[in-house]
């Protein structure tokens, strides 16, 4: 196993985002690069993700980002020789109200601008594509995107890491960063529980702990861990891993086939977040599962599949994806702290958006940064004019109102 050493670039965090950042940086020519991970790679938030990759969004920039990410996953095995277990199942987004119909029409218009093929379809066509939905009487309109799908988050992360290793990157698991050395506004090294190293650039890809890591460098970043969870049922008639992925904004629920069971999750209206000012760099999951919330997802989804209410639950997945007060990624160098670069604040898009986010990271390190990538800069939160209590409420609200996403760049 490689040893912790001095390095030009050190990525902190071995989840999907850190792994993607490492691969894209190595591909760009940053070869003296190591990834430091407190536990095992992809053992935290990434391991819990559903892996849904939805390309159609309300804004053009975000749609282009996910189109590029999906293309990368589709071709990953051919291009890099490793698999992300990409499944191109297509996706269906249901509209049950006038507001949602208008939103779908807007999304379809954005998709047309981005050259993404989508179709607005009726309930009958929904049932043809997804016969397991027995009752579609409430469906006013739906958006079908045949090239959407999902990845297996751990496979994707392993693929990035293998590809980064092939380019010379070193992966150092079971090593925790406990301090950041800064001299005259420049990052000079990291302190870890296995010794200290010199490094010229730190990429903060610490997921929900990115705010805590930034604080070690003397910077406050409003990355708020918000609880998110889903369950996988016992086998259900008609479902398999090729079933289209489903999103139903009105009930804040998503679903897809997982084996012959159904993976079903959602975004509850009364979310649970952790005070980012006090989050410990440890696993912080609540001891008990929240059956009230999970049961409500099942009950709501049973409007479309009446037998679903009786489905046995096989497993529950949960974690604390990092949300930001404006629902946008936090990507790029931190002003006034040379060598400290953020790659965090994924707002529950960190798996699907990892390839795009890593490309934005590269762009942020060049002299030629587009207005969109500039809008993701951590410097929008500096100098700090916000309060932790407000930032926490706003970030939690982004999660609670995940569907529909606000009509602004994310
Ligand atoms: C239930 C659930 C479902 C989800 N579904 C989806 C989905 O369908 N699609 C999607 O795109 N996203 C989804 N997400 C969100 C997605 O999981 C996250 O956005 C993504 O995993 C974030 O990746 P990451 O690498 O930033 O974070 P993580 O995977 O948490 O990785 C961060 C790593 O940093 C390490 N670390 C932290 N501090 C330190 C330190 N001081 N020193 C060393 N290492 C450190 C941690 O150990 C951790 O491994 C879901 C999340 C959950 C919880």
């Amino acid at each position: 196993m490689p040893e912790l050493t001095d390095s030009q670039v050190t990525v902190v965090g071995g989840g999907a985002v850190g792994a993607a950042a490492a691969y894209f940086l190595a591909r760009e020519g940053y070869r003296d690069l190591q990834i430091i991970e407190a536990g095992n790679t992809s053992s935290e938030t990434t391991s819990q993700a559903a892996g849904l990759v939805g390309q159609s969004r309300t804004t053009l920039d975000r749609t282009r980002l996910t189109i590029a990410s999906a293309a990368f996953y589709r071709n990953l095995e051919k291009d890099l020789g490793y698999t992300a277990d990409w499944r191109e199942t297509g996706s269906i987004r249901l509209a049950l109200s006038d507001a949602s119909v208008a939103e779908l029409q807007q999304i379809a218009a954005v998709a047309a601008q981005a050259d993404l093929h989508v179709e607005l379809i009726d309930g009958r066509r929904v049932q043809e594509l997804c016969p397991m939905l027995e009752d579609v009487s409430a469906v006013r309109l739906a958006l079908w995107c045949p090239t959407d799908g999902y990845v297996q988050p751990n496979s994707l992360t392993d693929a990035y890491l293998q590809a980064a290793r092939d380019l010379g990157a070193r992966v150092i698991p079971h090593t925790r960063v406990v301090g950041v050395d800064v001299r005259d506004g420049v990052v000079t090294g990291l302190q870890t529980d296995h010794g200290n190293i010199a490094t010229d650039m730190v990429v903060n890809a610490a997921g929900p702990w990115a705010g805590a890591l930034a604080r070690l460098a003397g910077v406050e970043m409003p990355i708020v861990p918000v609880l998110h969870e889903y369950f996988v049922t016992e086998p259900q008639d008609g479902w398999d891993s090729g079933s289209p992925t489903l999103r139903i904004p009105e009930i804040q629920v998503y679903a897809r086939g997982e084996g012959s069971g159904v993976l079903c999750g959602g975004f509850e209206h009364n979310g649970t977040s952790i005070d980012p000012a006090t989050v410990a760099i440890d696993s912080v999951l609540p001891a008990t599962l929240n059956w009230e919330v999970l049961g409500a997802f099942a009950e709501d989804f049973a409007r479309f599949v009446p037998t679903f209410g009786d489905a046995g639950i096989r497993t529950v997945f949960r974690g604390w994806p990092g949300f930001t007060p404006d629902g946008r990624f936090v990507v790029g160098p931190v002003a006034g702290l040379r060598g400290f670069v953020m790659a965090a604040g994924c707002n529950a898009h960190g798996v699907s958006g990892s390839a795009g986010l890593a490309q934005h990271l590269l762009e942020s390190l060049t002299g030629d940064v587009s207005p969109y990538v500039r809008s993701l800069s951590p410097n929008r939160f500096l100098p700090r004019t916000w309060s932790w209590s407000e930032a926490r409420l706003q970030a939690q609200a982004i999660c609670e109102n995940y569907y529909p996403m606000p009509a602004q760049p994310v």
Side-chain angles (χ1 to χ4, degrees):
M1 192 169 11
E3 304 242 316
L4 184 68
T5 56
D6 296 343
S7 60
Q8 186 197 6
V9 181
T10 306
V11 176
V12 183
V17 172
Y23 166 64
F24 278 91
L25 284 163
R27 199 178 75 170
E28 191 66 12
Y30 294 85
R31 295 293 162 90
D32 180 13
L33 181 151
Q34 68 191 331
I35 301 144
I36 300 184
E37 163 55 49
N40 283 313
T41 54
S42 60
S43 58
E44 293 290 345
T45 328
T46 295
S47 66
Q48 301 301 300
L52 301 184
V53 180
Q55 299 166 94
S56 24
R57 306 275 164 170
T58 47
T59 66
L60 193 55
D61 285 322
R62 196 74 179 82
T63 305
R64 286 189 174 136
L65 168 90
T66 43
I67 291 174
S69 295
F72 181 80
Y73 308 141
R74 187 177 298 121
N75 296 320
L76 198 141
E77 193 160 358
K78 178 167 60 70
D79 292 345
L80 301 184
Y82 304 109
T83 182
D85 291 318
W86 166 254
R87 280 185 187 263
E88 195 152 310
T89 57
S91 78
I92 303 173
R93 185 176 174 119
L94 303 183
L96 312 182
S97 65
D98 286 347
S100 266
V101 166
E103 197 198 24
L104 286 195
Q105 285 162 341
Q106 186 205 344
I107 292 174
V110 173
Q113 268 180 288
D115 274 337
L116 173 69
H117 176 72
V118 297
E119 292 166 36
L120 290 169
I121 58 175
D122 60 14
R124 195 182 47 81
R125 177 82 177 121
V126 168
Q127 267 182 327
E128 276 170 22
L129 293 163
C130 195
M132 301 79 76
L133 296 186
E134 287 169 41
D135 185 352
V136 291
S137 54
V139 175
R140 302 274 311 277
L141 191 69
L143 186 86
W144 163 239
C145 179
T147 56
D148 274 356
Y150 64 92
V151 291
Q152 289 298 345
N154 289 14
S155 306
L156 175 65
T157 307
D158 288 349
Y160 284 133
L161 290 173
Q162 286 296 349
R165 280 192 189 96
D166 291 346
L167 296 169
R170 302 177 299 282
V171 181
I172 319 287
H174 304 293
T175 302
R176 178 163 297 192
V177 172
V178 294
V180 180
D181 295 324
V182 177
R183 197 180 312 129
D184 299 329
V186 179
V187 169
T188 57
L190 289 173
Q191 300 154 27
T192 81
D193 56 1
H194 283 67
N196 300 344
I197 56 155
T199 192
D200 300 329
M201 194 203 293
V202 171
V203 177
N204 179 352
W209 299 275
L213 185 71
R215 188 168 307 114
L216 294 178
V219 181
E220 299 290 334
M221 278 291 135
I223 313 248
V224 181
V226 185
L227 185 64
H228 180 50
E229 52 206 329
Y230 64 80
F231 58 85
V232 178
T233 68
E234 298 293 350
Q236 299 296 301
D237 281 349
W239 291 86
D240 61 42
S241 41
S243 306
T245 60
L246 294 168
R247 294 177 181 81
I248 313 176
E250 267 86 1
I251 57 171
Q252 298 260 99
V253 161
Y254 58 83
R256 70 164 170 83
E258 172 71 5
S260 48
V262 182
L263 178 161
C264 176
F267 295 87
E268 65 257 41
H269 289 294
N270 295 308
T272 307
S273 61
I274 302 178
D275 183 348
T278 59
V279 61
I281 304 181
D282 273 309
S283 259
V284 280
L285 283 171
T288 52
L289 295 174
N290 194 339
W291 288 115
E292 207 177 307
V293 169
L294 294 168
F297 297 155
E299 216 171 280
D300 286 340
F301 192 51
R303 283 171 60 187
F304 304 88
V305 187
T307 51
F308 197 71
D310 303 324
I313 294 191
R314 202 173 64 208
T315 336
V316 173
F317 289 79
R318 61 204 182 129
W320 299 92
F323 280 79
T324 56
D326 57 8
R328 284 186 281 152
F329 293 147
V330 183
V331 181
V334 171
L337 186 54
R338 208 168 82 212
F340 197 78
V341 181
M342 296 294 297
C346 297
N347 297 283
H349 289 300
V351 171
S352 55
S354 55
L357 190 153
Q359 282 161 359
H360 291 342
L361 173 70
L362 287 185
E363 187 181 322
S364 77
L365 299 175
T366 67
D368 186 16
V369 184
S370 66
Y372 176 62
V373 172
R374 204 171 305 123
S375 79
L376 307 178
S377 165
N379 302 327
R380 68 189 189 271
F381 299 116
L382 298 171
R384 184 176 147 200
T385 51
W386 44 272
S387 74
W388 277 114
S389 53
E390 264 179 44
R392 183 179 174 189
L393 283 179
Q394 287 164 351
Q396 191 178 309
I398 295 286
C399 182
E400 289 166 348
N401 300 303
Y402 190 87
Y403 300 124
M405 292 297 285
Q408 60 180 6
V410 292

